Amino acid sequence: MSPGPQRRDGLDPVARTRSRRRALQAVYAMQLSGVDANNAIAQFAHEQAHEVADLAYFEDLVRGVGQHRKALDASLQPFLDRAIDEVDPIERAMLRIAAYELQHRLDVPYRVVIDEALKTVKRFGSEHGHTYVNGVLDRAAAQWRAPEVQSQRS
């Protein structure tokens, strides 16, 4: 399988999408089993290589969520209608990944973060999980990336 189309900046969006999907699975595993980021990465890294994914991005997402989980959860809480631990595990994992991207990966446009999160939750989450994730991330992005959001909306 060959990599997807390269953009001028050298990024392969298809490989990034695959990386996010694997990161969701790794973060989900971390939540369920309590395994640390390095072990989660090791469990999924061989699959990453076979899927022509962006391994460095996958590792950054998983390590970032592992390292910043408490801060990410605290920053998400004002946008949730329940405690973070009461959110569906797939949706919780995706919210943590997207929160990490919105806060620490400013090179990724907020619209890309939200769109990718929604596509991933639609694929792996509950039937209406994407609606919940969309509402949370829209409000979070409006606050965390206010100038970028305002410039896109005007």
Side-chain angles (χ1 to χ4, degrees), residues 52-130:
V52 190
D54 185 336
L55 186 57
Y57 201 72
F58 161 76
E59 290 179 3
D60 181 57
L61 294 177
V62 176
R63 283 196 177 97
V65 170
Q67 181 180 358
H68 300 285
R69 187 187 55 79
K70 288 183 182 179
L72 295 170
D73 288 355
S75 66
L76 282 165
Q77 194 58 57
F79 308 106
L80 302 175
D81 61 354
R82 63 195 96 152
I84 187 79
D85 290 337
E86 295 173 10
V87 174
D88 175 85
I90 292 288
E91 293 157 21
R92 181 182 341 133
M94 194 69 252
L95 285 170
R96 287 172 170 163
I97 292 166
Y100 174 76
E101 285 188 284
L102 287 169
Q103 294 177 15
H104 298 275
R105 293 300 307 239
L106 301 180
D107 58 312
V108 181
Y110 86 93
R111 285 182 163 179
V112 171
V113 173
I114 294 173
D115 185 54
E116 289 286 316
L118 296 180
K119 286 180 187 174
T120 305
V121 170
K122 280 180 183 178
R123 181 170 180 171
F124 296 105
S126 63
E127 185 176 347
H128 298 290
H130 67 282

Side-chain angles (χ1 to χ4, degrees), residues 21-31 35 40-41 44 58 62:
R21 288 179 184 162
R22 284 290 179 234
L24 174 68
Q25 293 171 317
V27 170
Y28 179 80
M30 290 165 56
Q31 292 173 170
V35 67
I41 288 169
F44 289 93
F58 161 76
V62 176

